[in-house]
Amino acid sequence: MAFYALCYLAAAVLAVIVSQRIGLGSVVGYIAAGVLIGPVFQISVAGSGYLEQFSEFGIIMMLFLIGLEIDPQMVWRLRDKLLGLGGLQVAVTIAVVTAAGVGLGFSWQQGILFGFIAALSSTAIVLQTLEEKGLLRSDGGQASFAVLLFQDLAVIPMLACIPLIAGSGHGTSSGHGGATLLADLPGWASAILTLAAVGVVVAAAHFLSRPVFRTIALLGLREVFTAAALLVVVGITVLMSAVGLSPALGAFLGGVVLANSEFKHELQNDIEPFKGLLLGLFFMTIGAKIDPEILLANWLTVAAATFGLIAIKAIVLLPLAWFFRVRGPAGWLFTLGLAQAGEFGFVLLSISGDRGLLSPQMVSISVLVITFSMVLTPLLFASSEKIVVVLGRRERHHENSDQPDQGTIILAGVGRFGQIVNRMLLANGYKPVVLDYRADVVENVRKFGVKSFFGDAGRPDLLESAGLAHAALLIVAIDDPDRATEIVAHARRSNPGIQIIVRAYDRLHHYKLVDAGADHVVRELFDGSVQVGGMALQSLGMHPYEVEKRKAVFVEQDTAGLARMATLVNADMPAASNPDFIAGFSDIGKVIENAMMGYRSGYDEMVARGWNAPDAGSIHVQGSVGPNRFS
C-alpha cells in the first residue's frame, strides 16, 4: 500500500508542477497524473472503488467552501450580471447544446446532460488567469466572475436533476448509501422526511455548530476545531445520502448558513487543505479512467467536439455580453475567457456514468473534450488580446479626431494610487490622458473634460493611441509589477526623451524599473510607512521635532542604500539566494542598520547635527534616480 501511495503522490506532485509551469493549471496536472497512474503505467490498487468514493469528498468540501464564500452584499452588487448574464448564459447554452445533441442522435436525457456540462466554465483556470493578468477588476473580469459564480450555484440543481433525468432504471447512485432509509415509505412520508433533513442541516449549522465551535475556540483546542469542521461536512454528507439527496447540495446549504459566522475564516483554513488533496485525488481518478485506445480511435470526434463546444459557447456569450453592455475589449475577454468547459463537468460525468446515463466510452470521450478545452484556455485568452489589438487599429483609423494633443501627460491607471495623482494634476491645471481597464472610471473621468481611453495600459497600441510618441511625461500607477515594467520598457524604446515616473511594488521591483528606463521610481508604501513609523515614535513620547529629524535620517540612509545596492542585483538570481546581495546589507547603510538593532550611537550623532527642511532638489529623495538612474 505504501508503494501505491508513493506512486500517487509522486505522479501528482510532478504532473501538477509541470502543468502549472506551462500555464495549464493544477486541474489538468491532476488529470495527467491519473493518466500516468492508470492507462500508461497500469498502476492499480486494491479497493480503487473505495478510493474513488473517498475522493468525492473533495467535491463536497469544495461546495461547502463555495457556500461559505457567498457574500450577500457581493451578490446584490453583481445581481444584474449574476442573475441576468449568468442565468441567460447557462439557460441558453443548455438549450442550444441539448438541441444539437438530440439532432446528432443522442437521447434527450443525454442532450440535457451535455448541455449541463457545456454551460459550465473552469472557475479555477479563468480566475487564476484574470488575476495573473491583472484583469479581475476590469469590466470583462467582473462579468466573468459574476457568471462563474452563477455557474457554481447552478451546479446544485444540476446535480439534483441528474437522478431525475436518468430515471430509476439507470443504475444506482455513486455511492453514499442510496435512499435506503426511505425505500419502504410512502411518497408523502418520504417527501416530509426529505424536507425535514434539509431543515435539520440548516438548523444544526445555524444553532448547534456555533456553540460547539465557540466552546472549542475558548478551550484553545486547534486540532479538535479541525476535527469538528470535518465532522460538519461528513455529517451533512451522511444525512443527505440517507434520504436520497445530493450530499453536495447539503454541504452547500451548510456553507451558506455559516457564511456570516464568526468562525467562517477558521473553517475555510481548516478545510481547504483537505479539499485540495481530495479534489486532486478526484481528478486523478478521472484521468485514470481515460483509455488511450479510445482517444486514438476517436481523435477526430474529440477534436470536433472540443472546437464545437468552444464555438457554441462563444456564439452564446458574445451577444449576451453586448446586450449587458460588456463590449469592446471587455466583451472579447469575457467571451473567449469563458469558452471552455469546467471542473464540475467531471463531477457530472462521474455521477452520470454511475447512473448509467452514459456508457464508459462516452464518459471517456467527454472527459477528453473537457480536458482539451481547458488546455486551450491560454490560447483563448491570447486570441482575445489579438482581437482587441486588431479592433483598436480599426477604431483609430476611423476615429482620428479622438487623438490627444502632442506634449501630453499620460497616466496609466487611476485606482486608489493613480486617482490621487490625477486629482493633484487636475488641481494644478494639468489634464492628463488617462488609461484604465474599467469603463465606469473612464466614463467618470471624461465627465471632467479629461481625455481617457478604456483598455489595458500594457498594450503598446493603446499607449501609441494615447500619444506616447510625443508625450512629455508618463506616469505608471498600476499595481501589476510585471506589466508596469513592460510599460516602462516600451515607453523608453518608443520615446527616448520622455520623463517616466512609476509606482514600484518593492525594493527589488525598483531595480527592474530602473533597468527598464524609469526616471523616478516611487515605492508605493514607503512614504506612508515612514509616516506611520514617525507617528509611532511620537506616540511613545518622542518630541515631534526629534521625530522629524530621525525620519529624515532614515529616509536619507535608506535611499542611499537603495542606490548602492543596485550594483549587487543579479536579474538571474533571487535576492534571497544572492550571497553578494545579502552580504551587501551588512556593509551598506551600517548606521541605520545599527540603529534598527538598538546600537544608536552613530545614528544619534547624525541626528544631533540637526535637521533642515528638504530643499527643492530632494523632493524625489526616496525614488529619484537622476541622470544615472541611481542618484
Side-chain angles (χ1 to χ4, degrees), residues 86-428:
L88 283 175
Q89 181 270 323
V90 170
V92 174
T93 303
I94 292 175
V96 172
V97 174
T98 300
V102 173
L104 291 173
F106 294 100
S107 68
W108 68 267
Q109 295 95 333
Q110 293 171 338
I112 291 177
L113 173 64
F114 292 143
F116 286 169
I117 295 172
L120 305 176
S121 303
S122 176
T123 301
I125 294 178
V126 174
L127 290 184
Q128 179 181 347
T129 304
L130 291 173
E131 187 70 37
E132 289 174 353
K133 292 180 175 293
L135 297 174
L136 187 56
R137 297 179 182 175
S138 67
D139 284 7
Q142 286 290 286
S144 299
F145 176 79
V147 171
L148 288 170
L149 179 58
F150 185 89
Q151 290 176 356
D152 289 343
L153 299 177
V155 170
I156 303 301
M158 289 179 184
L159 292 173
C161 285
I162 288 179
L164 298 178
I165 64 175
S168 59
H170 287 89
T172 59
S173 127
S174 63
H176 302 292
T180 55
L181 295 181
L182 306 181
D184 299 327
L185 295 177
W188 63 268
S190 176
I192 291 176
L193 287 180
T194 299
L195 294 175
V198 175
V200 168
V201 169
V202 174
H206 184 75
F207 296 106
L208 182 61
S209 63
R210 292 189 179 188
V212 173
F213 287 136
R214 189 175 297 110
T215 301
I216 295 173
L218 291 175
L219 294 175
L221 302 174
R222 178 62 184 272
E223 66 282 359
V224 178
F225 196 100
T226 302
L230 295 174
L231 175 63
V232 169
V233 178
V234 175
I236 291 173
T237 300
V238 172
L239 178 60
M240 299 302 280
S241 298
V243 297
L245 290 179
S246 167
L249 172 61
F252 177 77
L253 290 176
V256 171
V257 174
L258 291 171
N260 292 323
S261 167
E262 63 270 32
F263 304 107
K264 168 183 175 179
H265 297 294
E266 188 70 22
L267 288 168
Q268 289 174 320
N269 294 333
D270 286 343
I271 292 178
E272 185 70 35
F274 296 96
K275 185 267 292 185
L277 290 173
L278 293 175
L279 202 57
L281 182 60
F282 173 82
F283 291 130
M284 289 175 68
T285 60
I286 292 293
K289 294 180 180 179
I290 294 178
D291 189 343
E293 295 182 359
I294 292 180
L295 173 60
L296 294 176
N298 300 274
W299 67 269
L300 188 58
T301 300
V302 171
T306 301
F307 288 105
L309 167 67
I310 294 173
I312 289 175
K313 294 198 71 172
I315 291 172
V316 171
L317 288 166
L318 190 58
L320 289 176
W322 185 89
F323 182 77
F324 282 88
R325 301 183 181 277
V326 184
R327 302 171 183 174
W332 285 106
L333 173 69
F334 168 79
T335 298
L336 295 179
L338 297 179
Q340 77 293 114
E343 303 86 359
F344 278 118
F346 299 122
V347 182
L348 299 178
L349 284 176
S350 178
I351 297 175
S352 301
D354 292 334
R355 289 276 181 176
L357 192 57
L358 298 178
S359 67
Q361 181 178 3
M362 294 173 67
V363 170
S364 295
I365 293 175
S366 300
V367 167
L368 290 169
V369 172
I370 295 175
T371 303
F372 287 140
S373 73
M374 294 170 68
V375 169
L376 291 174
T377 299
L379 296 179
L380 295 175
F381 273 101
S383 299
S384 71
E385 295 177 356
K386 295 294 184 182
I387 292 175
V388 168
V389 170
V390 173
L391 292 178
R393 290 172 181 169
R394 291 181 180 178
E395 289 176 1
R396 289 198 306 276
H397 179 72
H398 295 290
E399 299 180 9
N400 290 328
S401 60
D402 196 29
Q403 298 304 307
D405 298 329
Q406 297 184 7
T408 188
I409 301 170
I410 300 175
L411 173 60
V414 279
R416 57 189 176 86
F417 186 97
Q419 63 177 311
I420 299 176
V421 178
N422 185 46
R423 287 167 53 197
M424 189 168 183
L425 289 172
L426 292 175
N428 286 275

